[in-house]
Amino acid sequence: MTDTYCLTLAHINDTHSHFDPNEVKFHLIKENKTLTLHSRSGGYARLNHRIKLARQQAKLKQEAFLFLHGGDSFEGTLYYSQFKGKANSHLLNLLQPDAMVLGNHEMNAGNAPVKAFLDEIHFPLLAGNMDLSLEAIDKKEKMAQHKNLFDYDANTQTAKVLLKPLQDKTLAIIGITLEEMHNIARPDPDTQFRNAIKTTLNTIEKLKQQGIVHIILLSHLGIDQDRRLAERLSGISLIVGGHSHSLQGDFSTLGLNATPYGEKVNNTYILHAGKYAETLGLANITFNRTGQVITLEGHNQFMLDKQFRLSSPQTIEPEDYDWAYQQLLHHEGITWDEEDETIETIISTQYRPTITRLQEKVLGVLPQNLIHIRVPSDSLPHGSEICPWVCRSMYHEVKALDHKLDFALHNAGGVRESLSQGNLTLAEVIGRILPFELPLVTYEIEGQYLFQTLEAAINLATNNNIMGSGAGGFPYTYGLRYIYDGRAQEGERITSIEIFNKQEQQQWQQINRSQSYIGVSSDYTVSGKEGYHPLLNSKWVNGLSDLTLPEAFIQHMSKNRNLQKTLTPNVYYTSHV
């Protein structure tokens, strides 16, 4: 009998189909000189090299080893849009996770892609609060009772739990995902998501009745909800999370955040590992007999190219490279670019050639950087510089199809990244900034519901409400401009909406609350997600089967190959803070 139990844990989250290394930047201060270090980090071949090393070292020490994925493997790059999850299951099988929790992006196209993923993977997918008890009996692609799925047990109101040996004890892994799934993704109507806290509490109580006290919660709730859950519930040894893209660890000398790796809340440690397979979390953990973590040592690790580039407003000297290399060499959060040859060969022969062909097709030129942020800030008071162009493309390409149209409306989360000055390729559009193949929809809506829609979406996106759903719901427009004052009373925060009318001498006119207007949005937005539920009051909705969001942007770029024109701001936002 022993009093301590050791575990080596490797973890990743929000990988979003980033199988190749990603470009990363660090900002270093050398005396009075500012240096920006440009490199690449991560990717599945480098990840697997590090994971295999950690697994081997744990075996030599005769310690338990776990590799966990915090959800959101799907979407994000051309690898997903071109291969629809086949590459994800193939490559994840080679990484050999012990478990992955279901993320919201897995559910963006309904249950069918998840079912196909379940059929291919060799590891369990945990979704302990996903209730399939009402799944249609005659459903063609049923997920209930799938051998690889650990979902919700409606009879006991608990999560199905993955059990692993931990010396003479049993280690339980509970997978919990976002209960707001129907608000931010598109699960099938017969699939429900139960309360995360209640499900976790019920499951912990059931485990304790079985004498199991070593409990890991594999969460796709985001770090804020992980903290709230840890505050409210005792009995969780460790939370391994995802969804919020939170990078833990002290990277302050590299110009990034300085937060604890392993934040402790109510005697429960919380671990997150950033995003996009850029970093790998590695922790050495010791539990006591009652399940509490008594030591946790480790860090998130970037896996960098050994060759890097420096830029600076000041003159760069040869010794600056040596100095910067030493900063990386002695940082516990930096490792190098050794990779697993098998995975690199598979990516380079089976998947990357398709992506390369798309990267060679240039759509246009960006004369300057275009920054994408979801919510306006002090530096960008009107918000994203890309979303207005996306809305403009929706408006003009739908108008070109002889549709009567007054405005375009789109949510910030549908656009994923900033763009750098230079050539804009087809690969960047469908792989980076608009990876979701969302059909476009036209609809007729009264002005009063536009007031309600804009306020509800912003309230949720900025947490100017009891419970937010994430900043991805923040609205951007074309042909419509609005003013939002978060300091006003709820229901009165949209102080003005104007419509652009070329037929009138006064081109911008206040909308009439009782008059109807015709808009275009994605079908995701019109379905009422993320605060857009007032759009469900539309008089009619017409799906455009022959035009998706990325297709509209690509067509518009082919006609306007230089995005040099400065668009008139349509968003005027004052925070409630």
Coordinates of all heavy atoms in Angstrom, one line a residue, residues 372-376 381-388 390-391 394 407-415 443 449-463 469-478 480-484 493-494 496-497 520-521 525 529-532 534-535 569-573:
H372 N -8.2 41.3 -37.2 CA -9.5 40.8 -36.8 C -9.5 40.6 -35.3 O -8.8 39.9 -34.7 CB -9.8 39.4 -37.4 CG -11.1 38.8 -37.0 ND1 -12.3 39.5 -37.1 CD2 -11.4 37.7 -36.3 CE1 -13.3 38.8 -36.6 NE2 -12.7 37.6 -36.1
I373 N -10.4 41.4 -34.7 CA -10.8 41.2 -33.3 C -12.3 41.1 -33.3 O -13.0 41.6 -34.2 CB -10.3 42.4 -32.4 CG1 -11.0 43.7 -32.9 CG2 -8.8 42.5 -32.3 CD1 -10.7 44.9 -31.9
R374 N -12.8 40.4 -32.3 CA -14.2 40.2 -32.2 C -15.0 41.4 -31.7 O -16.0 41.8 -32.3 CB -14.5 38.9 -31.4 CG -14.0 37.6 -32.0 CD -14.3 36.4 -31.3 NE -14.0 35.2 -32.0 CZ -14.4 34.0 -31.7 NH1 -15.0 33.8 -30.5 NH2 -14.1 33.0 -32.4
V375 N -14.5 42.0 -30.6 CA -15.2 43.1 -30.0 C -14.4 44.3 -30.1 O -13.1 44.3 -30.0 CB -15.5 42.8 -28.5 CG1 -16.2 43.9 -27.8 CG2 -16.4 41.5 -28.4
P376 N -14.9 45.5 -30.4 CA -14.1 46.7 -30.6 C -13.3 47.0 -29.3 O -13.7 46.6 -28.2 CB -15.2 47.8 -30.7 CG -16.4 47.1 -31.4 CD -16.4 45.7 -30.8
P381 N -11.6 51.0 -32.4 CA -12.9 51.3 -31.8 C -14.1 50.9 -32.6 O -15.2 50.8 -32.0 CB -12.8 52.9 -31.7 CG -11.8 53.3 -32.7 CD -10.8 52.2 -32.7
H382 N -13.9 50.6 -33.9 CA -15.0 50.0 -34.7 C -14.9 48.5 -34.9 O -15.6 47.9 -35.7 CB -15.1 50.8 -36.0 CG -15.2 52.2 -35.9 ND1 -16.4 52.8 -35.4 CD2 -14.4 53.3 -36.1 CE1 -16.2 54.2 -35.3 NE2 -15.0 54.4 -35.8
G383 N -13.9 47.9 -34.2 CA -13.8 46.5 -34.2 C -13.0 45.9 -35.4 O -12.1 46.5 -35.9
S384 N -13.4 44.7 -35.8 CA -12.7 44.0 -36.9 C -12.5 44.8 -38.1 O -13.4 45.5 -38.6 CB -13.4 42.7 -37.1 OG -12.8 42.0 -38.3
E385 N -11.3 44.6 -38.8 CA -11.1 45.2 -40.1 C -11.4 44.3 -41.2 O -11.5 44.7 -42.4 CB -9.6 45.7 -40.2 CG -9.3 46.8 -39.2 CD -7.8 47.2 -39.3 OE1 -7.0 46.3 -39.6 OE2 -7.5 48.3 -39.1
I386 N -11.7 43.0 -40.9 CA -12.0 42.0 -41.9 C -13.5 41.8 -42.0 O -14.1 41.7 -43.1 CB -11.3 40.7 -41.6 CG1 -9.8 40.9 -41.6 CG2 -11.7 39.6 -42.7 CD1 -9.0 39.6 -41.3
C387 N -14.2 41.8 -40.9 CA -15.7 41.5 -40.9 C -16.4 42.5 -41.8 O -17.3 42.0 -42.5 CB -16.2 41.6 -39.5 SG -15.9 40.1 -38.5
P388 N -16.1 43.8 -41.8 CA -16.8 44.7 -42.8 C -16.7 44.2 -44.2 O -17.6 44.3 -45.0 CB -16.2 46.0 -42.5 CG -15.7 46.0 -41.1 CD -15.2 44.6 -40.9
V390 N -16.2 41.1 -45.3 CA -17.0 39.9 -45.4 C -18.4 40.3 -45.6 O -19.1 39.7 -46.5 CB -16.8 39.0 -44.2 CG1 -17.7 37.8 -44.2 CG2 -15.3 38.5 -44.1
C391 N -18.9 41.2 -44.8 CA -20.3 41.7 -44.9 C -20.6 42.3 -46.3 O -21.6 42.1 -46.9 CB -20.7 42.6 -43.8 SG -20.8 41.8 -42.2
M394 N -20.9 39.6 -48.9 CA -22.2 39.0 -48.8 C -23.3 39.9 -49.5 O -24.1 39.4 -50.3 CB -22.6 38.8 -47.3 CG -21.7 37.8 -46.6 SD -21.9 38.0 -44.8 CE -23.7 37.7 -44.6
F407 N -29.4 45.1 -46.4 CA -28.3 45.0 -45.5 C -27.7 43.6 -45.4 O -28.4 42.7 -45.8 CB -28.6 45.5 -44.1 CG -29.6 44.6 -43.3 CD1 -29.1 43.6 -42.5 CD2 -31.0 44.8 -43.4 CE1 -30.0 42.8 -41.8 CE2 -31.8 43.9 -42.8 CZ -31.3 42.9 -42.0
A408 N -26.5 43.5 -44.9 CA -25.9 42.2 -44.5 C -25.5 42.3 -43.1 O -25.1 43.3 -42.5 CB -24.6 42.0 -45.4
L409 N -25.7 41.1 -42.4 CA -25.4 41.0 -41.0 C -24.6 39.7 -40.7 O -25.1 38.6 -41.2 CB -26.7 41.0 -40.2 CG -26.7 40.7 -38.7 CD1 -25.9 41.8 -37.9 CD2 -28.1 40.6 -38.2
H410 N -23.5 39.8 -40.0 CA -22.7 38.6 -39.8 C -22.1 38.6 -38.4 O -21.8 39.7 -37.9 CB -21.6 38.4 -40.8 CG -20.9 37.1 -40.8 ND1 -21.6 35.9 -40.7 CD2 -19.6 36.8 -40.7 CE1 -20.7 34.9 -40.7 NE2 -19.5 35.4 -40.7
N411 N -21.9 37.5 -37.8 CA -21.3 37.5 -36.4 C -19.8 37.3 -36.5 O -19.2 36.7 -37.4 CB -21.8 36.3 -35.6 CG -21.5 35.0 -36.2 OD1 -21.9 34.7 -37.3 ND2 -20.8 34.1 -35.5
A412 N -19.1 37.9 -35.5 CA -17.6 38.0 -35.5 C -16.9 36.6 -35.5 O -15.9 36.4 -36.1 CB -17.1 38.8 -34.3
G413 N -17.6 35.6 -34.9 CA -16.9 34.3 -34.8 C -16.9 33.6 -36.1 O -16.1 32.6 -36.2
G414 N -17.6 34.0 -37.1 CA -17.5 33.3 -38.4 C -16.3 33.7 -39.2 O -15.9 33.0 -40.1
V415 N -15.5 34.7 -38.7 CA -14.2 35.1 -39.2 C -13.2 34.7 -38.2 O -13.4 35.0 -37.0 CB -14.1 36.6 -39.5 CG1 -12.8 37.0 -40.0 CG2 -15.2 37.0 -40.6
Y443 N -33.8 37.2 -45.8 CA -34.9 37.2 -44.9 C -35.5 38.6 -44.8 O -34.8 39.6 -45.1 CB -34.6 36.6 -43.5 CG -33.4 37.4 -42.9 CD1 -33.6 38.4 -42.0 CD2 -32.1 37.0 -43.2 CE1 -32.5 39.1 -41.5 CE2 -31.0 37.6 -42.6 CZ -31.2 38.7 -41.8 OH -30.1 39.3 -41.2
Y449 N -37.3 44.2 -34.6 CA -36.5 43.0 -34.3 C -35.0 43.2 -34.6 O -34.2 42.5 -34.0 CB -37.1 41.8 -35.1 CG -38.5 41.5 -34.7 CD1 -39.5 41.5 -35.6 CD2 -38.8 41.2 -33.4 CE1 -40.8 41.3 -35.3 CE2 -40.2 40.9 -33.0 CZ -41.2 41.0 -34.0 OH -42.5 40.7 -33.6
L450 N -34.7 44.1 -35.4 CA -33.3 44.4 -35.6 C -32.7 45.1 -34.4 O -31.6 44.8 -34.0 CB -33.1 45.3 -36.8 CG -33.2 44.7 -38.2 CD1 -33.1 45.7 -39.3 CD2 -32.2 43.6 -38.4
F451 N -33.5 46.0 -33.7 CA -33.0 46.5 -32.4 C -32.8 45.4 -31.4 O -31.8 45.4 -30.7 CB -34.1 47.5 -31.9 CG -34.0 48.9 -32.5 CD1 -34.6 49.3 -33.6 CD2 -33.2 49.9 -31.8 CE1 -34.6 50.5 -34.1 CE2 -33.2 51.2 -32.3 CZ -33.8 51.5 -33.5
Q452 N -33.7 44.5 -31.4 CA -33.6 43.4 -30.4 C -32.4 42.5 -30.7 O -31.7 42.1 -29.8 CB -34.9 42.6 -30.3 CG -36.1 43.4 -29.8 CD -37.4 42.6 -29.9 OE1 -37.4 41.3 -30.0 NE2 -38.5 43.3 -29.9
T453 N -32.3 42.2 -32.0 CA -31.2 41.3 -32.4 C -29.8 41.9 -32.1 O -29.0 41.2 -31.4 CB -31.3 41.0 -33.9 OG1 -32.5 40.4 -34.2 CG2 -30.1 40.2 -34.4
L454 N -29.6 43.1 -32.5 CA -28.2 43.7 -32.2 C -27.9 43.8 -30.7 O -26.8 43.4 -30.3 CB -28.2 45.1 -32.9 CG -28.2 45.0 -34.4 CD1 -28.3 46.5 -35.0 CD2 -27.0 44.4 -35.0
E455 N -28.9 44.2 -30.0 CA -28.6 44.3 -28.5 C -28.4 42.9 -27.9 O -27.5 42.7 -27.1 CB -29.8 45.0 -27.8 CG -29.5 45.0 -26.3 CD -30.4 46.0 -25.5 OE1 -30.9 47.0 -26.0 OE2 -30.6 45.7 -24.3
A456 N -29.3 42.0 -28.2 CA -29.1 40.6 -27.6 C -27.8 40.0 -27.9 O -27.1 39.4 -27.1 CB -30.3 39.7 -28.0
A457 N -27.4 40.1 -29.2 CA -26.1 39.5 -29.6 C -24.9 40.2 -28.9 O -24.0 39.5 -28.4 CB -26.0 39.7 -31.1
I458 N -25.0 41.5 -28.8 CA -23.9 42.2 -28.1 C -23.9 42.0 -26.6 O -22.8 41.8 -26.0 CB -23.9 43.7 -28.4 CG1 -23.7 44.0 -29.9 CG2 -22.8 44.5 -27.6 CD1 -23.9 45.4 -30.3
N459 N -25.0 41.9 -26.0 CA -25.1 41.6 -24.6 C -24.4 40.3 -24.2 O -23.7 40.2 -23.3 CB -26.6 41.6 -24.1 CG -27.2 43.0 -24.0 OD1 -26.6 44.0 -24.1 ND2 -28.5 43.0 -23.9
L460 N -24.7 39.3 -25.1 CA -24.2 38.0 -24.8 C -22.7 38.0 -25.1 O -21.9 37.4 -24.4 CB -24.9 36.9 -25.6 CG -26.3 36.5 -25.1 CD1 -27.0 35.6 -26.1 CD2 -26.2 35.9 -23.8
A461 N -22.3 38.6 -26.2 CA -20.9 38.6 -26.7 C -20.0 39.3 -25.7 O -18.8 39.0 -25.6 CB -20.8 39.2 -28.1
T462 N -20.5 40.3 -25.0 CA -19.6 41.1 -24.1 C -19.9 40.9 -22.6 O -19.4 41.6 -21.8 CB -19.9 42.6 -24.4 OG1 -21.3 42.9 -24.2 CG2 -19.5 43.0 -25.8
N463 N -20.7 39.8 -22.4 CA -21.1 39.5 -21.0 C -21.8 40.7 -20.3 O -21.8 40.8 -19.1 CB -19.9 39.1 -20.1 CG -19.5 37.7 -20.5 OD1 -20.3 36.8 -20.7 ND2 -18.2 37.4 -20.5
S469 N -22.3 34.1 -24.1 CA -22.0 32.9 -24.9 C -20.8 33.0 -25.7 O -20.5 32.2 -26.5 CB -23.2 32.6 -25.8 OG -23.4 33.7 -26.7
G470 N -19.9 33.9 -25.4 CA -18.7 34.1 -26.1 C -18.7 35.3 -27.0 O -19.8 35.6 -27.6
A471 N -17.5 35.8 -27.3 CA -17.4 37.1 -28.1 C -17.7 36.8 -29.6 O -17.9 37.8 -30.3 CB -16.1 37.7 -27.9
G472 N -17.8 35.6 -30.0 CA -18.1 35.3 -31.4 C -19.4 35.8 -31.9 O -19.6 35.9 -33.1
G473 N -20.3 36.1 -31.0 CA -21.6 36.6 -31.5 C -21.7 38.1 -31.8 O -22.7 38.6 -32.3
F474 N -20.6 38.8 -31.6 CA -20.6 40.3 -31.8 C -21.0 40.5 -33.3 O -20.4 40.0 -34.2 CB -19.3 40.9 -31.5 CG -19.4 42.4 -31.4 CD1 -19.7 43.0 -30.1 CD2 -19.3 43.2 -32.5 CE1 -19.8 44.4 -30.0 CE2 -19.4 44.6 -32.4 CZ -19.6 45.2 -31.1
P475 N -22.0 41.5 -33.6 CA -22.5 41.7 -34.9 C -21.7 42.7 -35.7 O -21.4 43.8 -35.2 CB -23.9 42.1 -34.7 CG -23.9 42.8 -33.4 CD -22.8 42.1 -32.6
Y476 N -21.5 42.4 -37.0 CA -20.9 43.4 -38.0 C -21.9 43.5 -39.1 O -22.7 42.5 -39.4 CB -19.6 42.9 -38.4 CG -18.5 43.1 -37.4 CD1 -18.3 42.1 -36.4 CD2 -17.8 44.3 -37.3 CE1 -17.3 42.4 -35.4 CE2 -16.9 44.6 -36.2 CZ -16.7 43.6 -35.3 OH -15.7 43.8 -34.3
T477 N -21.9 44.6 -39.8 CA -22.9 44.9 -40.8 C -22.4 45.5 -42.0 O -21.3 46.0 -42.1 CB -24.0 45.8 -40.2 OG1 -23.4 47.0 -39.8 CG2 -24.7 45.2 -39.0
Y478 N -23.2 45.6 -43.1 CA -23.0 46.4 -44.3 C -24.3 46.9 -44.8 O -25.3 46.1 -44.8 CB -22.3 45.6 -45.4 CG -21.8 46.5 -46.5 CD1 -20.7 47.2 -46.5 CD2 -22.6 46.5 -47.7 CE1 -20.3 48.0 -47.6 CE2 -22.2 47.3 -48.8 CZ -21.1 48.1 -48.7 OH -20.7 48.9 -49.7
L480 N -26.0 48.8 -43.1 CA -26.7 49.1 -41.8 C -25.6 49.6 -40.9 O -24.6 49.0 -40.8 CB -27.4 47.8 -41.3 CG -28.4 47.9 -40.2 CD1 -29.7 48.4 -40.7 CD2 -28.6 46.5 -39.6
R481 N -25.9 50.7 -40.1 CA -25.0 51.0 -39.1 C -25.7 51.3 -37.8 O -26.9 51.7 -37.8 CB -24.1 52.2 -39.5 CG -24.9 53.6 -39.6 CD -23.9 54.6 -40.2 NE -24.6 55.9 -40.3 CZ -24.0 57.0 -40.8 NH1 -22.8 56.9 -41.4 NH2 -24.7 58.2 -40.9
Y482 N -25.1 51.1 -36.7 CA -25.8 51.2 -35.4 C -24.9 51.7 -34.3 O -23.6 51.7 -34.4 CB -26.3 49.8 -35.0 CG -25.3 48.8 -34.6 CD1 -24.7 48.7 -33.3 CD2 -24.8 47.8 -35.6 CE1 -23.7 47.8 -33.0 CE2 -23.8 46.9 -35.3 CZ -23.3 46.9 -34.0 OH -22.3 46.0 -33.7
I483 N -25.5 52.2 -33.2 CA -24.8 52.7 -32.0 C -25.3 51.8 -30.8 O -26.5 51.7 -30.6 CB -25.1 54.2 -31.8 CG1 -24.6 55.0 -33.0 CG2 -24.4 54.6 -30.5 CD1 -25.0 56.5 -32.9
Y484 N -24.3 51.3 -30.1 CA -24.6 50.5 -28.9 C -24.0 51.2 -27.7 O -22.8 51.4 -27.7 CB -24.1 49.1 -29.1 CG -24.3 48.2 -27.8 CD1 -25.4 47.4 -27.6 CD2 -23.3 48.2 -26.8 CE1 -25.5 46.6 -26.5 CE2 -23.4 47.4 -25.7 CZ -24.5 46.6 -25.5 OH -24.6 45.8 -24.4
R493 N -30.2 49.8 -25.2 CA -28.7 50.0 -25.5 C -28.4 50.2 -26.9 O -27.4 50.8 -27.2 CB -28.0 48.7 -25.0 CG -28.0 48.6 -23.5 CD -27.4 47.3 -23.0 NE -27.5 47.2 -21.5 CZ -27.6 46.1 -20.8 NH1 -27.5 44.9 -21.4 NH2 -27.7 46.1 -19.5
I494 N -29.3 49.8 -27.8 CA -29.1 50.2 -29.2 C -29.9 51.6 -29.4 O -31.1 51.7 -29.4 CB -29.7 49.2 -30.2 CG1 -29.0 47.9 -30.1 CG2 -29.6 49.7 -31.6 CD1 -27.6 47.9 -30.5
S496 N -29.4 53.8 -31.9 CA -29.7 54.2 -33.3 C -29.3 53.1 -34.2 O -28.3 52.4 -34.0 CB -28.8 55.5 -33.6 OG -28.9 55.8 -35.0
I497 N -30.2 52.9 -35.2 CA -29.9 52.1 -36.4 C -30.3 52.8 -37.6 O -31.4 53.3 -37.7 CB -30.7 50.7 -36.4 CG1 -30.4 49.9 -35.1 CG2 -30.2 49.9 -37.6 CD1 -31.2 48.6 -35.0
V520 N -29.3 39.8 -45.4 CA -28.6 38.5 -45.8 C -27.7 38.2 -44.6 O -27.0 39.1 -44.1 CB -27.9 38.5 -47.1 CG1 -26.8 39.6 -47.1 CG2 -27.2 37.2 -47.4
S521 N -27.7 36.9 -44.2 CA -26.8 36.4 -43.1 C -26.5 35.0 -43.4 O -27.0 34.4 -44.4 CB -27.5 36.6 -41.8 OG -27.8 37.9 -41.4
T525 N -26.5 32.2 -38.3 CA -27.0 33.4 -37.6 C -28.5 33.4 -37.6 O -29.2 33.7 -36.6 CB -26.4 34.6 -38.3 OG1 -25.0 34.6 -38.3 CG2 -26.9 35.9 -37.6
K529 N -28.8 31.5 -33.2 CA -27.7 31.2 -32.3 C -27.1 32.5 -31.7 O -27.2 33.6 -32.3 CB -26.6 30.5 -33.0 CG -27.0 29.3 -33.8 CD -27.4 28.1 -32.9 CE -27.7 26.9 -33.8 NZ -28.2 25.7 -33.0
E530 N -26.5 32.4 -30.5 CA -25.7 33.4 -29.9 C -26.4 34.8 -29.8 O -25.8 35.8 -30.0 CB -24.4 33.5 -30.6 CG -23.6 32.2 -30.6 CD -22.2 32.4 -31.1 OE1 -21.3 32.9 -30.3 OE2 -21.9 32.1 -32.3
G531 N -27.7 34.8 -29.4 CA -28.4 36.0 -29.2 C -29.1 36.5 -30.4 O -29.8 37.6 -30.3
Y532 N -29.0 35.8 -31.5 CA -29.7 36.3 -32.7 C -31.2 35.7 -32.8 O -31.8 35.7 -33.9 CB -28.9 35.8 -34.0 CG -27.6 36.6 -34.1 CD1 -26.5 36.3 -33.5 CD2 -27.6 37.8 -34.9 CE1 -25.3 37.0 -33.6 CE2 -26.5 38.5 -35.1 CZ -25.3 38.1 -34.4 OH -24.1 38.9 -34.6
P534 N -34.0 36.9 -32.1 CA -35.1 37.8 -32.6 C -35.3 37.6 -34.1 O -36.3 37.9 -34.7 CB -34.7 39.2 -32.2 CG -33.9 39.0 -31.0 CD -33.1 37.8 -31.2
L535 N -34.2 37.1 -34.8 CA -34.4 36.9 -36.3 C -35.3 35.8 -36.6 O -35.8 35.7 -37.7 CB -33.0 36.6 -36.9 CG -31.9 37.7 -36.9 CD1 -30.7 37.2 -37.6 CD2 -32.4 39.0 -37.5
P569 N -17.1 53.1 -41.2 CA -17.5 52.3 -40.0 C -19.0 52.1 -39.9 O -19.7 53.1 -40.1 CB -16.9 53.1 -38.9 CG -15.8 53.9 -39.5 CD -16.3 54.2 -40.9
N570 N -19.4 50.9 -39.6 CA -20.8 50.7 -39.3 C -21.1 50.3 -37.9 O -22.3 50.2 -37.5 CB -21.3 49.6 -40.2 CG -21.4 50.0 -41.7 OD1 -21.5 51.2 -42.0 ND2 -21.4 49.0 -42.6
V571 N -20.1 50.2 -37.1 CA -20.3 49.7 -35.7 C -19.7 50.8 -34.8 O -18.6 51.2 -34.9 CB -19.5 48.4 -35.4 CG1 -19.5 48.1 -33.9 CG2 -20.0 47.3 -36.3
Y572 N -20.6 51.4 -33.9 CA -20.2 52.4 -32.9 C -20.6 51.8 -31.5 O -21.8 51.7 -31.2 CB -20.9 53.7 -33.2 CG -20.6 54.3 -34.5 CD1 -21.2 53.9 -35.7 CD2 -19.6 55.3 -34.6 CE1 -20.8 54.4 -36.9 CE2 -19.2 55.8 -35.8 CZ -19.8 55.4 -37.0 OH -19.5 55.9 -38.2
Y573 N -19.6 51.5 -30.8 CA -19.8 50.6 -29.6 C -19.2 51.3 -28.4 O -18.0 51.8 -28.4 CB -19.1 49.3 -29.8 CG -19.0 48.4 -28.6 CD1 -20.1 47.8 -28.0 CD2 -17.7 48.3 -27.9 CE1 -19.9 47.0 -26.9 CE2 -17.6 47.5 -26.8 CZ -18.7 46.8 -26.3 OH -18.6 46.1 -25.1

